[in-house]
Amino acid sequence: MLVLIWATLLFSVRDTGASVEGTPFCDKGFCITLSKGEITAEAGLCVVIPCSFNTSDGFTPQHIVWYKCEPSKQKCTDSDIIFHTNKSNNKIQPGFKRRVSLLEPDVSQRNCSIIVNDITESDSGSYQLRVISLLHRKTDGFTFSPRTNVSVKDLTQKPTVMILPLTEGQQSSLSCTAPGFCSGSDPEITWTWRGAGEKDSHIAGNITDFRTKNLTADTQSHSSTLTFNSSAEHHGTNVSCKVSFPNNITTEETVTLNVVYGKEVKITGNTSVKEGETLILTCSVESFPPSLITWTKLSLNRTLNNDTGTATLVIPNVTAEYSGQYICTAKHQVNRMMKEVNIRVKFFPRILSSSGCEVQSGVLTCVCISEGIPLPTIQWPLLKNHAEYSIMTNMSHHTVNISLSVSFKDNNYTTVDCVSISDVGEDKKNLTIKKGKRYKFKYLSNSRPLV
């Protein structure tokens, strides 16, 4: 047990820059070993003064007394007592009561090392040892002339914050351990968090557990565990752990939270463009870590574009063939998210060369076939001069097929105008009238004659 105590405390001493090695100083058979040089410590924590001694024959130590006085003072006096193994001694300075203890309570072991808890800058000074004993059945004592100088600086050590992996929708934990291994007053540990441009506030719905763990009889570890349900809103926020020691001594550590999350896929851009224009589609996913974004077209077995976080698909000078369904796929760790968008490429109406007219038995039959997106309408200027006629309509995808039948006795006509119109534009064609040829046309079931 003693080995563990010393291992922990010596580690603490190394943190303060002190050395536990020293050369014995002897006087009249009394020897003392103190650490070399000045011992530095930080306010709010504790300081260990390593010490061991030997006495002359016949001197049996009964009590150990420690003084603290200014280095300029030639000899520490009773008014400078900070520790006495005799519990009934009432000369201990009030400010040191219950703050100083021996690492080894058994005086006969001649281990005079002490730990001073809850130190402040006023604890800086010179520390001196006196040993009291029965010598030849009389109470006697010996004050060792060598002293240990302690210098207390401002607290610079920070809490240690441990973060377990954070995933949206799952319970998460943060652990904060106060600096030092002191057995003095329990520090107060508080948690605050700050979003972008926000003031400090407590995390809503948190569960905080404060624990003190006894490492040895003289050392303790103080920690606090913050448990909460993490969400995407916590990602990128700063969480601070503040440790408050007695005498208004504080220290804190701030960490940035990284929460694994993925939101829905979003597609922006104009889904309807004109032929010859540039198609621009942007797919993005708010996530951490960033998702791999991939663009594909349903009719193509290849990747059009990919990027991380956001992927923009740019296709210049589009044609009708670029119409169709585009798919954005976001791969976030082991998950895949998809979103589809239908693109329509508008193009000018075009009257196909298969259009034409013929006259047979006094009846004029004309067929005008036009394609375009949006689907165009067909107009016949000839009908302004005819009250009786019939029209049959056949529509398929982006093509319209209209057949006109009208009584025709005027041999002065050699052509008939067909006009195809949409909100993109129009196309006009003169259909030559042929005689004696019979056009055969197929109509959809929803075709209807107009008389």
Side-chain angles (χ1 to χ4, degrees), residues 369-400:
I369 304 173
S370 179
E371 63 178 3
I373 297 179
L375 193 66
T377 60
I378 292 179
Q379 297 179 0
W380 301 93
L382 173 69
L383 298 182
K384 294 180 181 179
N385 302 320
H386 294 79
E388 296 182 359
Y389 55 86
S390 66
I391 293 179
M392 300 292 290
T393 302
N394 182 1
M395 292 180 292
S396 175
H397 299 295
H398 52 267
T399 302
V400 59

Side-chain angles (χ1 to χ4, degrees), residues 206-274:
N206 67 75
I207 302 173
T208 305
D209 181 28
F210 179 84
R211 292 185 180 182
T212 296
K213 183 178 180 181
N214 293 321
L215 302 177
T216 69
D218 296 282
T219 60
Q220 295 176 334
S221 173
H222 306 282
S223 62
S224 174
T225 300
L226 174 67
T227 304
F228 64 102
N229 289 324
S230 57
S231 67
E233 284 67 31
H234 289 130
H235 179 72
T237 59
N238 293 327
V239 175
S240 297
C241 172
K242 182 178 181 180
V243 179
S244 300
F245 295 100
N247 303 304
N248 296 320
I249 299 172
T250 62
T251 180
E252 70 176 69
E253 180 69 296
T254 299
V255 295
T256 300
L257 301 184
N258 290 323
V259 180
V260 176
Y261 73 96
K263 293 190 175 181
E264 65 176 348
V265 179
K266 293 183 179 180
I267 296 177
T268 58
N270 194 350
T271 59
S272 180
V273 294
K274 294 181 180 180

Side-chain angles (χ1 to χ4, degrees), residues 5 35 47 76 126 157 167 184 209 216 234 239 263 271 294 301:
I5 293 174
S35 62
V47 63
C76 297
S126 179
Q157 296 185 48
T167 302
D209 181 28
T216 69
H234 289 130
V239 175
K263 293 190 175 181
T271 59
T294 303
N301 188 24

Side-chain angles (χ1 to χ4, degrees), residues 361-428:
S361 303
V363 176
L364 173 65
T365 302
C366 291
V367 175
C368 187
I369 304 173
S370 179
E371 63 178 3
I373 297 179
L375 193 66
T377 60
I378 292 179
Q379 297 179 0
W380 301 93
L382 173 69
L383 298 182
K384 294 180 181 179
N385 302 320
H386 294 79
E388 296 182 359
Y389 55 86
S390 66
I391 293 179
M392 300 292 290
T393 302
N394 182 1
M395 292 180 292
S396 175
H397 299 295
H398 52 267
T399 302
V400 59
N401 182 327
I402 294 184
S403 175
L404 168 67
S405 295
V406 62
S407 297
F408 191 76
K409 298 178 180 180
D410 191 347
N411 293 325
N412 294 327
Y413 283 96
T414 59
T415 61
V416 174
D417 289 337
C418 172
V419 181
S420 180
I421 301 174
S422 73
D423 60 6
V424 179
E426 68 175 58
D427 188 21
K428 181 179 179 181

Side-chain angles (χ1 to χ4, degrees), residues 229-377:
N229 289 324
S230 57
S231 67
E233 284 67 31
H234 289 130
H235 179 72
T237 59
N238 293 327
V239 175
S240 297
C241 172
K242 182 178 181 180
V243 179
S244 300
F245 295 100
N247 303 304
N248 296 320
I249 299 172
T250 62
T251 180
E252 70 176 69
E253 180 69 296
T254 299
V255 295
T256 300
L257 301 184
N258 290 323
V259 180
V260 176
Y261 73 96
K263 293 190 175 181
E264 65 176 348
V265 179
K266 293 183 179 180
I267 296 177
T268 58
N270 194 350
T271 59
S272 180
V273 294
K274 294 181 180 180
E275 191 174 34
E277 293 182 339
T278 299
L279 173 65
I280 302 176
L281 295 175
T282 298
C283 181
S284 61
V285 180
E286 185 182 342
S287 65
F288 181 84
S291 302
L292 176 63
I293 310 295
T294 303
W295 274 109
T296 56
K297 191 175 186 297
L298 189 61
S299 59
L300 299 176
N301 188 24
R302 63 185 178 89
T303 300
L304 298 177
N305 189 25
N306 61 58
D307 210 334
T308 302
T310 299
T312 299
L313 178 64
V314 179
I315 303 177
N317 196 27
V318 294
T319 60
E321 288 73 18
Y322 287 97
S323 295
Q325 192 175 68
Y326 290 76
I327 302 171
C328 172
T329 303
K331 183 179 180 182
H332 182 244
Q333 295 195 330
V334 297
N335 299 320
R336 282 182 178 270
M337 299 172 285
M338 299 176 63
K339 193 166 187 178
E340 302 169 353
V341 62
N342 286 313
I343 300 300
R344 185 174 71 159
V345 178
K346 297 179 180 180
F347 61 90
F348 284 84
R350 290 192 284 263
I351 298 176
L352 304 184
S353 60
S354 54
S355 303
C357 294
E358 60 99 7
V359 174
Q360 190 173 25
S361 303
V363 176
L364 173 65
T365 302
C366 291
V367 175
C368 187
I369 304 173
S370 179
E371 63 178 3
I373 297 179
L375 193 66
T377 60

